[in-house]
Amino acid sequence: MAQSGVMTVSNRLERRARISDLLRSADVEDLLSLGRADVLSLHLDTDPTKPENQRPEPAYRIWARKSVLELATGLGSSERKRLDELAERVDARLREDRPGGRGLVLYAADGLWREYVLPVGVENRVRYGFADLWPLLWVREAYTPYGVLLVHRDHARLWVTHLGEAELVEDEEFHLDPSQWRFASGKPPSFAKGMGMPASRGAQRDTFASRVEDHVRRFWSRVASAAGKAVEELGVGRLIVGGPPEAASAVCDLLPESARRKLVGTVSVPPQEEWPAVRERVLEVAREDQRRRHHEVRDRLRNGEGPGGAVLGPEATLDALLRRQVLVLAADRDVDGRAWLCTGCEFATLRPDERCLTCGAGLVEASWTQVLPALAWRNDAQVVLLEPGLLREHGGVGALLRYR
Ligand SMILES: [Zn+2]
């Protein structure tokens, strides 16, 4: 599992710090190797709107230098030397230019240099040893994209929003292109208004009304199928539908099955009301959905609802991970604890034994947050980070099992 050293130069993402891009392209699997315990993981709050980051010597640069040097003081001389070198490389990088986003994540080691620009803030944080992917996993969890379909009688829009912990981070707008019956990004087509009602021309009132209704229902049906296609293509896993109740519920019923499964709620929006006015209400539905999902995971753990049951607590969870039984690993975002790992055979224990019981090699001390993602990856398990404290009474961690 050792790193092959192929990544010698910086592998920078585009400065355009979009979450969807990050989540698609953040290929971090090679960082999950337990074969190397010499990685410096640095998370920096680079938010350019903060005054301390606007000084000639921004606060994050001072913090980075100081914290990496502090980290080195507790280590042996060869590791101290290595960290000194890494500290210099980091400092040189931070002098080059100001990172584009609000947060910067760096992974550095011999033959390894990765950086991720985040459009959301992260807390300053430094770790050495096994790579620390915890904050990235949290970003992935907390900023899950939601598709929001707003539909009226004669027009529809789709937004993809990334919900932050308390705020909307970014959204991207898609307009219905009626010539193709597809949602497209960019400007709305100028003929969107031309979706108008059939002309009345003296038609008998009831007939006219029913023709209008037919027309509107046809429109909603096409909106529903276009929205289904769009969320599929955009990789959006959750959908909220808003509009006047009649429109919203009709479109929900007309959604293709795959899109209906993604539906997490509807929002009642008066006719003509547009996105800025309804955003807060939509976000509340999304937040409620996140809370519900987290509580569902906790309940499934407590009720033993994995195919092979479930375990709770650090000891039992580590045991299941080492046996490769884990289907879903769940942990509080603020879980805390230490583990000791063998870099040779990947044995792990919660007791600071001096030697590996399996192969006799020395063990490396690490925090839970460094160990859990790597072990979960070996289990091919899904990792779910929960809101702080949800599993605290169970030691902050648990797992749904594939088999007993
Ligand atoms: Zn071992």
Side-chain angles (χ1 to χ4, degrees):
M1 284 287 189
Q3 197 65 41
S4 59
V6 279
M7 275 169 310
T8 47
V9 280
S10 96
N11 179 11
R12 271 177 217 167
L13 286 175
E14 243 187 299
R15 281 305 142 97
R16 191 168 58 114
R18 287 176 52 202
I19 299 206
S20 42
D21 292 347
L22 170 78
L23 297 187
R24 263 196 291 273
S25 61
D27 177 18
V28 292
E29 286 194 348
D30 57 323
L31 294 171
L32 290 167
S33 163
L34 288 173
R36 75 181 304 166
D38 65 341
V39 180
L40 174 69
S41 308
L42 196 57
H43 297 79
L44 297 174
D45 172 3
T46 56
D47 190 341
T49 64
K50 293 188 174 168
E52 64 267 33
N53 286 338
Q54 292 166 3
R55 299 189 199 119
E57 167 104 52
Y60 60 83
R61 206 162 81 201
I62 300 170
W63 189 90
R65 196 170 45 237
K66 198 169 133 261
S67 62
V68 177
L69 292 178
E70 267 171 24
L71 202 63
T73 54
L75 299 171
S77 68
S78 71
E79 281 179 312
R80 209 158 53 225
K81 188 164 162 280
R82 187 179 299 145
L83 266 178
D84 283 349
E85 285 166 15
L86 291 176
E88 265 177 48
R89 281 172 68 190
V90 168
D91 196 57
R93 159 65 189 95
L94 295 177
R95 280 173 196 282
E96 242 173 62
D97 59 16
R98 295 194 180 225
R102 288 170 61 192
L104 179 70
V105 184
L106 292 174
Y107 298 104
D110 291 344
L112 171 74
W113 182 269
R114 287 292 188 86
E115 43 179 278
Y116 299 105
V117 175
L118 302 182
V120 294
V122 288
E123 279 170 27
N124 287 334
R125 169 176 168 127
V126 66
R127 296 282 189 280
Y128 178 70
F130 300 110
D132 175 27
L133 294 163
W134 206 252
L136 271 190
L137 287 174
W138 175 249
V139 167
R140 195 177 291 217
E141 175 66 31
Y143 298 90
T144 310
Y146 282 78
V148 181
L149 177 65
L150 269 197
V151 59
H152 295 281
R153 285 173 72 84
D154 59 355
H155 68 284
R157 300 255 173 103
L158 178 74
W159 280 265
V160 176
T161 84
H162 292 271
L163 181 70
E165 278 160 70
E167 58 173 12
L168 184 96
V169 177
E170 62 180 27
D171 49 28
E172 198 170 352
E173 187 176 354
F174 298 85
H175 301 272
L176 187 66
D177 173 356
S179 70
Q180 309 262 341
W181 291 105
R182 290 176 67 85
F183 283 95
S185 53
K187 279 192 179 167
S190 55
F191 51 87
K193 285 253 188 301
M195 290 301 307
M197 303 295 123
S200 63
R201 267 213 293 255
Q204 206 257 341
R205 180 169 298 208
D206 288 350
T207 314
F208 173 66
S210 84
R211 276 170 61 199
V212 169
E213 285 318 303
D214 280 355
H215 183 89
V216 170
R217 282 203 67 83
R218 231 175 9 251
F219 174 70
W220 287 341
S221 154
R222 289 168 140 176
V223 166
S225 82
K229 240 181 277 167
V231 293
E232 200 70 48
E233 283 165 16
L234 293 164
V236 170
R238 291 162 214 292
L239 181 64
I240 295 168
V241 175
E246 188 203 5
S249 82
V251 167
C252 288
D253 289 345
L254 292 163
L255 283 171
E257 179 55 31
S258 62
R260 206 166 341 156
R261 279 199 301 268
K262 297 174 177 175
L263 194 63
V264 298
T266 57
V267 179
S268 171
V269 176
Q272 307 310 325
E273 196 145 73
E274 278 296 342
W275 181 232
V278 297
R279 214 155 86 155
E280 264 316 303
R281 274 180 290 150
V282 164
L283 291 182
E284 195 38 56
V285 172
R287 284 187 203 110
E288 187 47 48
D289 172 59
Q290 277 191 336
R291 274 194 295 270
R292 194 170 50 221
R293 272 192 299 129
H294 285 186
H295 286 259
E296 257 169 36
V297 170
R298 185 187 60 181
D299 294 346
R300 288 180 66 200
L301 288 168
R302 284 180 175 168
N303 301 330
E305 283 172 4
V311 289
L312 281 162
E315 195 97 29
T317 303
L318 184 61
D319 198 45
L321 284 166
L322 293 178
R323 291 167 190 265
R324 313 232 165 157
Q325 285 172 291
V326 176
L327 181 65
V328 177
L329 175 75
D332 288 350
R333 179 199 178 185
D334 61 345
V335 69
D336 199 16
R338 313 296 295 169
W340 284 263
L341 268 95
C342 174
T343 55
C345 70
E346 298 176 2
F347 168 79
T349 170
L350 296 178
R351 283 168 294 276
D353 299 314
E354 277 185 10
R355 298 263 140 206
C356 172
L357 291 179
T358 314
C359 74
L363 298 178
V364 178
E365 185 181 356
S367 72
W368 266 117
T369 55
Q370 284 161 289
V371 169
L372 289 176
L375 291 177
W377 183 62
R378 266 153 202 73
N379 280 254
D380 207 8
Q382 185 199 348
V383 180
V384 183
L385 299 200
L386 303 171
E387 59 193 56
L390 208 59
L391 293 178
R392 190 167 294 145
E393 62 185 287
H394 306 292
V397 62
L400 297 173
L401 307 183
R402 283 177 204 285
Y403 55 85
R404 274 176 220 285

